[in-house]
Amino acid sequence: MRLFKDVLPYLLIGAGIGAFIHEVIPENFLTTFAGVDNFLAIPLAEVVGIPMYIRTETMIPVASILMAKGVAPGAVIALIIGGAGASLHELLLTRIKHVA
């Protein structure tokens, strides 16, 4: 129950972002930049994800909406890895740990 209470706010934030994407952003806009036919979709998603600090729990509903809107699965995974694993916050934290 404690884990559920800890994760719930992030899931709600992700659901809100996903709802915004679903209702406001046109599908053809997303497929133009991150569709299956665009070979730059994965590098673009990675570059977009790096300055963001995305918790993986937040990305679950967002990833679902992005894939439903036509974003390539590889681009969604690159966004998740860029935001959660290779974000500037994580890299700086890793740098600080190695220096200390």
Side-chain angles (χ1 to χ4, degrees):
M1 215 40 194
R2 183 171 181 259
L3 178 62
F4 177 73
K5 288 180 183 178
D6 290 343
V7 172
L8 184 63
Y10 299 107
L11 287 174
L12 293 175
I13 291 169
I17 294 169
F20 176 80
I21 291 170
H22 185 270
E23 294 299 323
V24 176
I25 298 177
E27 185 173 328
N28 59 357
F29 177 78
L30 291 174
T31 56
T32 301
F33 294 105
V36 178
D37 296 334
N38 187 356
F39 72 95
L40 292 175
I42 292 175
L44 181 63
E46 188 68 31
V47 168
V48 168
I50 288 174
M52 301 167 64
Y53 180 71
I54 306 170
R55 292 190 51 105
T56 308
E57 297 89 355
T58 306
M59 272 306 292
I60 293 169
V62 174
S64 173
I65 295 297
L66 288 174
M67 289 178 61
K69 286 276 193 167
V71 175
V76 173
I77 292 170
L79 182 68
I80 293 170
I81 292 171
S87 69
L88 293 176
H89 303 90
E90 293 292 330
L91 295 175
L92 289 174
L93 185 62
T94 303
R95 175 76 177 143
I96 291 170
K97 285 182 181 179
H98 287 300
V99 172

